[in-house]
Structures are given as C-alpha cells and as structure tokens.
Amino acid sequence: MSEKRKNDTIIEGEYYDPDLPAKENTPPRKHRRTRSAGNVPKYNPASESIITKSNDLIQKTKYALPKLEQKVLLAMMAQINPKETPDADRVYSLSFSDFGRLAGVNMHDNTYLEYLKDTVKSLEDRSFWSLDPASDGHQYKVLSWLQRGSTVNDRDKQIRVRFNPEILPYLSQLKSNYTSYNVEYLLTMNSTYSMRFYEILLSYDNGDTDYGYTNGLVFQPVTKEILDRFPDKAQDIRGFKYKVFDIQELKEQLSPPPEKRKKDKEKPLTEKYSNFHDFERYVLTKARDEINQMTDLWFDYIPVRIRGGRKYERLYLFIRYKSAQEMDAVRQLHTQKSTRNEEVPRRRRTRKTTEPERSAAAVSVAEPLGDELFTMTVTRAVRVLESRARSQTLQAKISPELYSAVSSVLVYTARLLTNTNSEKKAKQAQETRDALNRILAQQHDLTCWVLGMARMMLTKKENGQLKSPQYNATIVYNAMEDITIIPSGRDELRSAGATDHFKADLSVFDE
C-alpha cells in the first residue's frame, strides 16, 4: 500500500494493493482441505453431504438466488461426488418429503405444487457471468446452473434435474483452489445471503496452513496490533482470524449487477441496501446470527470509515472454528431439526372473542404510559414502545422499507420521551407521553398509529423532506395526533392482512 493510502485511512491494515501487478497480488493455488465439524447427523437423503466448489465460482461470480431455489440447488449439488468424473447426462433427484424436511416446509400439500414448479423453472432459467479460467483473465462467459428439461412429478413426488456440463468442472475433480463444506449447515438457514456469506468466508481461509503471503488476500491471525486497534471488541475477537473487505465489492459478490435483475424487478444489494445501516440490519446481522448458530464457524464484523468520510467503506470480517465442545450445540440443533415430526394434529377451533374479552387481553399494551419513561435510556424506551405497538408481529407482514420506517418512528418517539435536559424538552416529553396515552385509550395499542406515522415518514422521505434525526423527531412530535394518521395505519394493517384468505402460507419461501 502506498504511503498516501495509509494516511487516508482511519484503520490501517494489510489491504489488497491495486498498485501492485496482478501476479504479485495472486496467492499460489494450493489444495484446500475439507472443513467438517465432525459427526453432525446427516439427514440429507443424498449419499454425500459435502459440497465442493471452485473458489473461482464462489469469489468471481456475482449472483443471488431466492432462498428456495438456493436450497434446491444445494441439495442437488450434495449428490455430486467431487472425486469422480462428472456425467453431464446424470439425473439428480430429490423427493418432495426429503426436500420439505430440509427446507422446513410440507411439500405434501398440493397447494405448494404450482409454486414448486415455478421455482424449479426459475432455477433452470438462471444464468450469470463468470470469468473464464481458461482465458487470459479478461474473458467472461455466461453460465447457467441446469440443463433444460427439469421435471417435477406429482405422482412419485420427485424433482429431477441435470446440471449444465459447463458448470460441472467447477464442482468436481478439483485439484486446488477449492472449498468444501457440509451442506446441512446451509439447508437450515433462512436467509440466502447467509448461505452465500458462509461459503465466501470459507473460500478466503487457508485453514491451519501458512502459505507465507500476508497481502490481505486470505484470512490472517488477529495480532496484538489488531486487538489494540479495536479495544472495545478485543475480548470478542481474540483468537480469531481477520480479512478486510470493501463493502461495495462484498455487496456485489452477494448479488448480480443491476442490468441482470431488471426482469426480476429486484434491485441488487448496492441499490437495495445502499446505506450501511440497512445492509447491516437485513444482511450482516442475519448472516452472523445464522452462521454462529448453525455452522462450525464463529463470525463477527467491524465496519470502518475512511478519515474525512462519513460512510462505512470497509468491513473487517472475523472468523474462528468452533471447538468440539462448542459443536455439541450445533449437533443438537441439527438433530432436533432432522427428527421433527411432520404430522400435525387437528387443533380445537377457538371461538371468537368478544370486544370486552379483547380489551381485557390487551391491558398490557393498552394501560397508560407512566412517568418512568422520562428517566429511561432511548434503547429501553424503544423496547417499551415496540411492545405497545406490537411492532415485532409486523415484520413478516409488511415491506422491509415500511418496517424500517416503523422502527425509525419508534426511535424518534423514544428520543422525544427521554430528552428532558431543558424545561422546553421536558414539556415536549410530557406532551408526547400524554398524546400516546390518548391514542392507547382509543385504540388499545399503538399499532395503527405507528403504521400511519411510518407511511407518512416514507412519503416525506420520497419527497426529500427528511433531514437530521432531530428534525425528523420534530415531524413526529407535530404529527402525533394528526387525524389522518390512524386511518392510514388501519389501511396499512388491512393491506398487510389481505393475504390471510389464501389457503397456502407461502411466506416460508420469502427471503
């Protein structure tokens, strides 16, 4: 790294240096050992539960698949023997019940058949650009995962596919520069980004082998210098390895470029979560939680800024393999998932509750807010408001953008309630609390109110009317009892529940 670039960064580390020739930045291509966490119960019906992929396929391609498509693909890949010569004509099959058990859904339900057919067809249609390893490093070619002719048989309950012959060399008979991992880990995850994150992390790790290069291309041991650099996280990352990633490049690895997603009406991560807060909330934290719970890795991260800038531009990623004792919890988790009973008994139908009964049940969220709010921290006040607004129940029903706006409204309101540093602010806090109590008395909770406020804030955001957090909190304060807020919230709540009349609950397939 040049001296100028060192002086520009707040956090100095061994980054990839674009000033060096490409050859000097490329590590030697070495054999990568299989990473296995031991005897994790194999509930995958395939004869092999290990997936092997070329690092070029993992690192140098930009693609994203919906969760269900990703799981179908992984379940099929697990049946490829990485040591044998691949047969392009071989048909790989998976039963509805086996896939349903791995994916956590009941595929015996006929209402899922059309959705499953659409999913397999969509997976067959997927294509992406990949750097041609046989070229001089400047030629890209279009690859697809599957050949034409995939089938879904509703009599014998089987999905059957054949892999594209051009993709098979990336999945078998690899001599070096590849990564292997247990497919069970990924098949239990709920986020497709967690799946991609896990294999990306492994692909940049050399295991216990030291190949003698420390130019930032692979994970390196956390040193005292790194611990001193991050004193607040020193205890958490001691004994870990680290690698620095460019946040924008990492987003691109997790999703295809914009022009490839227009037909799907899905934005790439660089646009969908352009600011770091959203990227952290919807991608990073989910990936960290699922990887730490379901795999053989501990994973953490620290974002850093460039001196003089306001955006987070680099991400320190930290990994450590779990010990044998730590893997006991992972084995127990996978055992519970694999032995889950698919038979669900009929439940007694409950009678509809009356209005007085609903009011009695809602006392915990409808009772007046007290003076204790004024002495709380913002975080604790947010938790109280989340409970009164039942905001956690909204996450699966409304769009991520609207849910993010709900969270912002609760934070702004909590700031109004807890800021009593001056007589004016204390009066504002009391007026805010009193307004909320009047809403609670009328609505029995704050759900419709917070949805209406969130819709108003989104509209103002689209019109460029939002500014600083203090300014936005003032907007919330001035609109506390606006007569249009509650009706708007009711419309949002009605729209969120509009899919309740469908027989099949397809939400399990959503990302």
Side-chain angles (χ1 to χ4, degrees):
M1 180 182 291
S2 67
E3 189 64 32
K4 181 179 184 301
R5 287 174 60 85
K6 282 186 180 180
N7 292 336
D8 284 344
T9 60
I10 286 180
I11 305 300
E12 296 178 9
E14 294 174 314
Y15 305 117
Y16 179 90
D17 189 351
D19 297 328
L20 287 175
K23 180 179 287 189
E24 294 182 42
N25 272 307
T26 304
R29 301 171 72 86
K30 296 288 185 177
H31 178 77
R32 304 191 64 83
R33 65 180 178 84
T34 297
R35 297 172 179 80
S36 175
N39 298 319
V40 176
K42 294 179 172 57
Y43 51 83
N44 187 347
S47 59
E48 280 285 341
S49 60
I50 299 296
I51 284 181
T52 298
K53 285 186 179 181
S54 163
N55 285 343
D56 288 337
L57 184 62
I58 296 174
Q59 300 173 1
K60 298 180 181 179
T61 55
K62 300 173 183 179
Y63 68 88
L65 294 173
K67 179 176 64 177
L68 185 57
E69 292 182 35
Q70 182 87 299
K71 289 189 174 184
V72 170
L73 189 65
L74 290 170
M76 297 297 186
M77 282 183 179
Q79 301 177 49
I80 298 176
N81 189 333
K83 298 180 180 179
E84 294 181 354
T85 303
D87 181 2
D89 294 325
R90 178 181 169 182
V91 176
Y92 297 85
S93 63
L94 195 67
S95 70
F96 287 15
S97 60
D98 283 331
F99 174 75
R101 184 163 61 252
L102 293 172
V105 295
N106 178 17
M107 300 308 299
H108 293 293
D109 191 334
N110 289 334
T111 56
Y112 289 114
L113 181 59
E114 290 302 317
Y115 190 92
L116 180 56
K117 287 162 59 180
D118 290 342
T119 300
V120 174
K121 181 180 183 300
S122 177
L123 180 58
E124 187 180 278
D125 292 339
R126 298 279 178 181
S127 62
F128 55 93
W129 285 102
S130 176
L131 186 64
D132 188 350
S135 70
D136 57 358
H138 297 281
Q139 179 170 298
Y140 294 81
K141 64 179 179 181
V142 177
L143 289 178
S144 59
W145 297 105
L146 304 178
Q147 295 187 54
R148 293 294 180 186
S150 301
T151 62
V152 173
N153 191 312
D154 63 352
R155 175 177 294 178
D156 61 8
K157 307 293 184 183
Q158 294 285 327
I159 307 165
R160 295 183 175 89
V161 304
R162 289 183 301 162
F163 282 97
N164 178 3
E166 292 188 324
I167 207 74
L168 288 172
Y170 293 92
L171 304 174
S172 61
Q173 287 197 313
L174 297 165
K175 303 299 183 183
S176 63
N177 202 34
Y178 65 86
T179 297
S180 299
Y181 54 83
N182 287 333
V183 70
E184 287 97 333
Y185 300 151
L186 276 64
L187 289 171
T188 54
M189 292 179 176
N190 291 318
S191 169
T192 189
Y193 300 126
S194 300
M195 303 179 207
R196 277 285 283 150
F197 235 110
Y198 177 72
E199 64 179 16
I200 287 173
L201 291 174
L202 288 187
S203 72
Y204 286 104
D205 180 42
N206 281 328
D208 299 325
T209 305
D210 181 8
Y211 292 132
Y213 49 85
T214 57
N215 58 357
L217 291 181
V218 296
F219 279 91
Q220 304 165 62
V222 169
T223 61
K224 184 178 183 302
E225 178 189 358
I226 298 298
L227 295 176
D228 293 341
R229 192 173 296 172
F230 304 112
D232 293 342
K233 295 279 287 186
Q235 288 299 111
D236 297 331
I237 61 176
R238 193 180 302 276
F240 279 60
K241 300 177 182 180
Y242 80 97
K243 179 179 173 1
V244 185
F245 285 77
D246 179 274
I247 292 177
Q248 196 75 355
E249 292 177 1
L250 185 59
K251 288 180 182 179
E252 291 175 357
Q253 274 187 288
L254 293 169
S255 63
E259 62 270 18
K260 298 301 290 182
R261 299 294 290 176
K262 285 183 180 178
K263 65 177 181 180
D264 297 329
K265 299 180 181 179
E266 177 70 22
K267 296 179 180 178
L269 290 185
T270 50
E271 296 179 13
K272 188 176 182 180
Y273 304 131
S274 57
N275 66 71
F276 181 79
H277 172 76
D278 290 340
F279 178 60
E280 180 177 36
R281 179 174 184 177
Y282 296 110
V283 179
L284 279 177
T285 54
K286 286 185 178 181
R288 180 180 61 189
D289 292 346
E290 292 196 319
I291 289 172
N292 288 344
Q293 182 185 24
M294 301 175 184
T295 78
D296 56 345
L297 281 183
W298 291 114
F299 161 52
D300 208 345
Y301 63 87
I302 299 175
V304 296
R305 307 175 191 267
I306 304 301
R307 180 174 287 117
R310 299 179 63 184
K311 292 176 57 178
Y312 289 114
E313 296 189 17
R314 292 174 183 165
L315 203 62
Y316 274 67
L317 300 186
F318 300 88
I319 63 170
R320 176 174 72 79
Y321 289 93
K322 293 177 181 176
S323 65
Q325 292 78 11
E326 291 169 334
M327 282 305 300
D328 288 341
V330 178
R331 280 190 280 272
Q332 184 177 3
L333 174 68
H334 286 270
T335 300
Q336 290 172 350
K337 287 182 176 290
S338 64
T339 58
R340 182 179 58 183
N341 193 341
E342 289 184 331
E343 298 178 342
V344 180
R346 182 178 66 182
R347 295 181 178 178
R348 185 186 299 272
R349 180 173 295 179
T350 56
R351 65 181 178 86
K352 293 184 177 180
T353 57
T354 63
E355 185 60 38
E357 289 172 330
R358 279 196 295 270
S359 299
V363 67
S364 62
V365 295
E367 64 184 12
L369 298 165
D371 292 344
E372 65 276 4
L373 273 172
F374 304 143
T375 59
M376 289 182 181
T377 63
V378 172
T379 301
R380 191 174 174 190
V382 167
R383 297 291 175 265
V384 172
L385 295 176
E386 284 177 341
S387 174
R388 299 305 183 91
R390 306 177 191 266
S391 64
Q392 298 298 327
T393 64
L394 298 173
Q395 186 169 11
K397 299 179 180 179
I398 61 180
S399 67
E401 293 77 15
L402 185 58
Y403 186 75
S404 178
V406 165
S407 300
S408 297
V409 167
L410 295 179
V411 171
Y412 298 145
T413 307
R415 287 177 174 172
L416 290 168
L417 291 166
T418 57
N419 187 355
T420 57
N421 295 333
S422 65
E423 184 178 346
K424 179 181 178 182
K425 294 296 184 183
K427 183 180 178 181
Q428 266 192 352
Q430 188 165 350
E431 290 174 349
T432 300
R433 192 275 312 271
D434 293 344
L436 291 175
N437 281 339
R438 286 192 287 272
I439 295 168
L440 283 169
Q442 297 170 4
Q443 303 295 320
H444 304 299
D445 59 37
L446 298 176
T447 307
C448 289
W449 175 80
V450 77
L451 279 171
M453 292 291 285
R455 176 52 62 193
M456 178 197 72
M457 296 299 278
L458 274 183
T459 301
K460 289 185 177 295
K461 180 180 179 181
E462 292 170 357
N463 295 333
Q465 294 175 298
L466 297 186
K467 299 178 183 178
S468 66
Q470 293 83 358
Y471 181 85
N472 298 343
T474 302
I475 293 178
V476 171
Y477 172 75
N478 291 333
M480 287 292 298
E481 295 181 277
D482 188 309
I483 61 173
T484 65
I485 295 298
I486 299 297
S488 174
R490 287 201 192 102
D491 290 342
E492 293 293 341
L493 197 59
R494 194 177 299 114
S495 176
T499 57
D500 290 347
H501 61 85
F502 289 111
K503 181 178 180 181
D505 177 15
L506 301 184
S507 64
V508 294
F509 297 111
D510 295 338
E511 178 50 40

